[in-house]
Amino acid sequence: MYLCCNARQRGLLRCAAVPFVALAVGPDLDYFAVWFFDYAADPRFSHSLLLAVGAALFVKLTLSRSVTANLKLRWLLAAGMSHPLLDLLVGAHPVPLFWPLAGGVSIPAGVLPSAGSLAFDNFYLWRNLLIELGVLGPVFALLIAASGRLRFRELAGWTLLVLPAWAAFLTWSIALAR
């Protein structure tokens, strides 16, 4: 989101981050149907690339007339597709990326941990959130630093400093039982 809505980049406003966050979080809104109506869609078509592209196009067409910031379609598509692709990296269950055409897609080894049950008293939810932050945080920080036009030496120095912690979190994540 920072890369898309950085105020230094072409004058985008901070409020322009709202559609990007909505597109990234949107696929999990089907949990409300599970929690309140005891409905469980199988497969969870909200995690398909078709729905991600459709939602990004809808946001682009809806906000193109009302928002002064120029929201680039490629960034809206990236935000919409980020959630299903990150869920694919979990590797715990197949993700219906190509719904309605095929079954779920999965990778043999997960890189990110599964949240498990979404309950506040679930120890594994909080542990796995910490692991996800340890795996994804340095990657995103590196992208942000690279977009900030840091000199190569500064960027290399920060990368070498963070690399051992990132490797430890990645190893911890991959070693978890799926």
Side-chain angles (χ1 to χ4, degrees), residues 38-155:
D38 207 21
Y39 171 76
D42 188 31
R44 291 181 63 197
F45 62 89
S46 61
H47 286 67
S48 71
L49 295 179
L50 177 67
L51 194 69
V53 170
L57 289 172
F58 176 77
V59 168
K60 176 67 175 170
L61 293 173
T62 304
L63 296 181
S64 64
R65 296 183 185 126
S66 62
V67 176
T68 58
N70 185 11
L71 302 176
K72 301 287 185 195
L73 181 60
R74 66 180 173 260
W75 292 117
L76 292 170
L77 288 169
M81 292 181 191
S82 66
H83 188 105
L85 294 176
L86 285 172
D87 273 0
L88 181 64
L89 292 177
V90 172
H93 52 78
V95 178
L97 288 180
F98 302 112
W99 176 89
L101 297 178
V105 177
S106 61
I107 57 174
V111 177
L112 296 174
S114 173
S117 171
L118 293 180
F120 285 109
D121 61 346
N122 180 7
F123 165 77
Y124 298 106
L125 172 72
W126 300 107
R127 180 201 67 182
N128 294 352
L129 179 62
L130 173 69
I131 295 171
E132 283 185 1
L133 289 172
V135 171
L136 296 175
V139 174
F140 293 136
L142 182 62
L143 289 172
I144 292 167
S147 74
R149 312 288 189 257
L150 286 180
R151 292 185 311 216
F152 178 76
R153 286 185 181 178
E154 292 174 324
L155 192 58

